[in-house]
Amino acid sequence: VKAALGLGRQKLVAHLYKLLVYEKGSFFLPHRDGEKLDRMVATLVIGLPAAHDGGELVVSHDSRSHEVIFQGAAVGHELSYAAFYADCQHEVRPVRSGYRLCLTYNLTLARSRCKQGIAAPSYESTAAAIGKLLGDWSKGADEFRLAVTLDHRYTQDGLSIDKLKGVDRARADVLFQAAEQADCIAHLALVTLWQSGQAEGGYDDYSYGYGRGRRYHWSDDEDEMDNDETTSEYDMGEVYDWSLSADHWSDRAGKKVLLGEIQLKEDEIVSDEPLQEAQPNREDFEGYTGNAGMTLERWYHRAAVVIWPRAKHFHVLCSAGTDASVGGFAAMVRRLKRTSKAKHETLCQECSSFATAIIDSWQPAYRGYAWEKRNTGRDAFPAALCELDDPALVESFLSKTMPTDGIVQLDKSFGKFCKKHGWQRFEKPLTTVLEASSAATIGRNAEMLRILCTLRDRNSERIEVCSRLCARAAKAFEAFDGESGKPEWQS
């Protein structure tokens, strides 16, 4: 099974899921299995010896279908088995006589202790040809990005280079290799098309739940149909609104990259078919309300390798917003550790230029409600600045950015940085942060003080600076509390 699925030297683990019993007339309508376990890649079905007629397994993907008869099990003499990727659509045709018995297993990839990824086949000639195409494109393209879609379906948790299936792994390897040859940057990401519009069609007995796609059942066991596909009773009429974005990024080594949600354009998608031609991954339906008609929202997810020229890296990330810029900057700083001495100074200068552009274009994060814990990844920026070891940039960040953005926070690495370069140097910008306390930043500022004041050292300079900061913070908080201006909902 492992060899047929193209998983090379990876180890598969089979987890018994269920014993299924089909009697005469039983069947299973077309569906896809959800990823029930972490690192699940496929489903294994073992037919047990039990004489029966019918009950053929039909597996479909990418306009192709394959019928599995389980001949040995059907005559009652031996075991039969079939395995297929978890996102392949499959169905069981009606049993005409006898009993069809089978065990189903979830197949997962075992975690490897080896830090290196699985060695992929060599695609040198193909990568060279595509690399030339990417090189020509990057020199004269009006658009700075390409999102090349993959065939199989993946969840955001199941999307990484080592979990790609079959031809997708080969396609991603070629694209990453070609992008490097063309001096481009490539990431694996999940592309999402969202549409909101008029619902048309449907049936009066639509009783599968408000806001849910239709679910098929061959028994009363709902867990059996935890799939990632929506089969809708409705058609999308006029589209009122839509968006196209990429998120859940990872690099060629499989490491997560916090670029946030980056908006895409339609002509940046490279796909055999439009995203909306496939079945939606999720659908929300709302019936008639007052004078309003039926409305429909749909989400289509596709894995893709997203590519842009390295020369346009800063432009792409800064234009995509602060979260994308911060994620890209943190990844650049991590690269410094792996860079040769000859290239280290050049990359440091690039990092400093990028950091300056991020600070100048910083957009405060939407705070949301107090009970919403949002991980924007922005906390990585001050930590990366400290790692870059540029005091002037840290001062600029404290003075320009932190007074207005209450999401971003300092960590203990900032204390080590101040000890190295002198606490008094950063007293003035920290005072600026505290004195600008607002509804969006006052809670963060109090937490920042706690972090700085409770560092486990007896550095006298830090203690003196923190004492003065606390006194100024108290006055700033009292002044904020006494303001009689327009109330802010965040208060």
Side-chain angles (χ1 to χ4, degrees):
V1 166
K2 183 176 64 174
L5 292 174
L7 295 175
R9 297 190 301 273
Q10 289 181 279
K11 182 180 178 181
L12 278 180
V13 180
H15 306 266
L16 179 62
Y17 182 54
K18 284 186 177 178
L19 166 65
L20 302 179
V21 180
Y22 293 77
E23 60 184 356
K24 182 179 178 180
S26 295
F27 60 93
F28 209 150
L29 288 173
H31 66 286
R32 286 183 170 92
D33 291 338
E35 295 183 8
K36 303 178 181 69
L37 299 173
D38 184 33
R39 300 175 66 83
M40 177 178 167
V41 292
T43 298
L44 170 66
V45 180
I46 297 182
L48 303 177
H52 65 275
D53 186 28
E56 300 87 357
L57 172 67
V58 181
V59 182
S60 303
H61 180 71
D62 196 20
S63 303
R64 291 176 296 170
S65 295
H66 185 72
E67 183 182 84
V68 183
I69 301 177
F70 284 18
Q71 188 171 358
V75 297
H77 293 314
E78 59 185 25
L79 294 172
S80 300
Y81 71 92
F84 47 87
Y85 286 119
D87 68 318
C88 286
Q89 181 171 283
H90 53 284
E91 63 178 298
V92 177
R93 290 177 178 161
V95 174
R96 293 186 290 272
S97 65
Y99 290 88
R100 179 183 184 269
L101 308 179
C102 60
L103 296 170
T104 59
Y105 293 80
N106 299 319
L107 301 184
T108 62
L109 289 172
R111 294 190 181 276
S112 173
R113 295 181 180 179
C114 179
K115 294 184 178 180
Q116 294 183 344
I118 301 162
S122 176
Y123 304 105
E124 294 292 339
S125 60
T126 307
I130 296 178
K132 184 178 184 307
L133 291 174
L134 287 177
D136 295 340
W137 161 77
S138 64
K139 294 174 184 176
D142 294 330
E143 301 296 343
F144 297 140
R145 297 167 301 201
L146 291 176
V148 185
T149 61
L150 305 181
D151 286 345
H152 288 274
R153 293 194 176 203
Y154 305 90
T155 63
Q156 64 186 53
D157 295 328
L159 181 61
S160 65
I161 190 72
D162 65 329
K163 296 180 186 177
L164 295 183
K165 303 166 183 174
V167 70
D168 285 350
R169 178 63 189 265
R171 183 177 296 178
D173 283 333
V174 167
L175 289 171
F176 275 112
Q177 192 173 340
E180 189 172 339
Q181 293 176 12
D183 199 24
C184 291
I185 292 175
H187 293 90
L188 190 63
L190 196 65
V191 173
T192 299
L193 170 64
W194 167 77
Q195 289 182 329
S196 176
Q198 181 181 4
E200 296 179 347
Y203 302 96
D204 293 336
D205 62 345
Y206 187 88
S207 58
Y208 296 91
Y210 182 87
R212 297 290 301 274
R214 181 172 181 173
R215 297 169 65 128
Y216 292 110
H217 304 286
W218 69 275
S219 72
D220 57 358
D221 183 4
E222 286 198 3
D223 184 51
E224 188 63 37
M225 274 302 297
D226 289 335
N227 61 71
D228 192 34
E229 180 182 89
T230 296
T231 306
S232 179
E233 291 280 355
Y234 292 89
D235 296 323
M236 178 71 76
E238 180 183 356
V239 177
Y240 305 139
D241 197 9
W242 65 277
S243 67
L244 187 60
S245 62
D247 203 347
H248 308 292
W249 305 81
S250 59
D251 60 18
R252 190 176 184 179
K255 293 183 178 179
K256 298 294 181 184
V257 181
L258 296 176
L259 297 183
E261 186 176 309
I262 295 181
Q263 299 300 311
L264 301 174
K265 299 177 182 178
E266 286 185 280
D267 54 4
E268 293 176 328
I269 303 295
V270 181
S271 180
D272 291 335
E273 62 177 9
L275 301 185
Q276 63 270 25
E277 294 285 322
Q279 290 286 349
N281 296 79
R282 176 186 163 195
E283 178 181 283
D284 282 350
F285 165 78
E286 184 172 349
Y288 292 103
T289 55
N291 295 325
M294 298 185 298
T295 59
L296 199 61
E297 286 186 277
R298 283 177 173 171
W299 289 261
Y300 302 85
H301 301 307
R302 288 287 295 275
V305 177
V306 184
I307 303 169
W308 55 76
R310 190 176 299 278
K312 302 292 184 181
H313 186 53
F314 298 168
H315 174 84
V316 169
L317 295 184
C318 286
S319 62
T322 300
D323 291 343
S325 303
V326 169
F329 176 72
M332 282 185 66
V333 173
R334 286 196 299 269
R335 279 174 50 206
L336 281 172
K337 296 179 180 179
R338 308 189 302 270
T339 304
S340 63
K341 291 183 178 180
K343 298 181 180 179
H344 193 272
E345 185 176 350
T346 301
L347 184 56
C348 277
Q349 293 175 351
E350 290 181 2
C351 288
S352 297
S353 300
F354 191 19
T356 300
I358 293 173
I359 293 171
D360 291 342
S361 62
W362 192 280
Q363 302 162 346
Y366 167 71
R367 186 172 177 80
Y369 294 101
W371 56 83
E372 291 180 337
K373 293 184 179 180
R374 301 180 66 246
N375 179 20
T376 63
R378 295 186 176 209
D379 290 350
F381 188 68
L385 286 180
C386 292
E387 191 173 341
L388 188 59
D389 202 26
D390 190 329
L393 278 175
V394 173
E395 287 182 87
S396 177
F397 171 74
L398 293 173
S399 302
K400 294 181 179 180
T401 301
M402 289 196 67
T404 59
D405 194 330
I407 295 293
V408 67
Q409 180 62 282
L410 304 177
D411 62 15
K412 292 182 179 180
S413 66
F414 178 73
K416 296 178 182 178
F417 183 80
C418 290
K419 184 178 181 180
K420 179 179 180 180
H421 295 282
W423 277 89
Q424 290 185 357
R425 176 168 187 170
F426 303 100
E427 182 175 359
K428 184 177 180 180
L430 286 171
T431 301
T432 301
V433 175
L434 294 169
E435 291 181 343
S437 293
S438 65
T441 64
I442 192 167
R444 187 278 316 278
N445 291 348
E447 174 64 13
M448 179 186 74
L449 268 181
R450 187 195 68 78
I451 292 173
L452 300 181
C453 292
T454 58
L455 291 174
R456 294 186 176 182
D457 64 45
R458 297 186 178 275
N459 184 285
S460 59
E461 185 184 14
R462 176 187 67 82
I463 295 172
E464 291 174 4
V465 169
C466 284
S467 296
R468 291 192 292 269
L469 289 175
C470 285
R472 287 166 179 155
K475 291 181 180 179
F477 295 167
E478 288 173 3
F480 168 78
D481 194 43
E483 288 179 357
S484 58
K486 182 179 178 181
E488 296 185 59
W489 65 269
Q490 289 135 321
S491 301

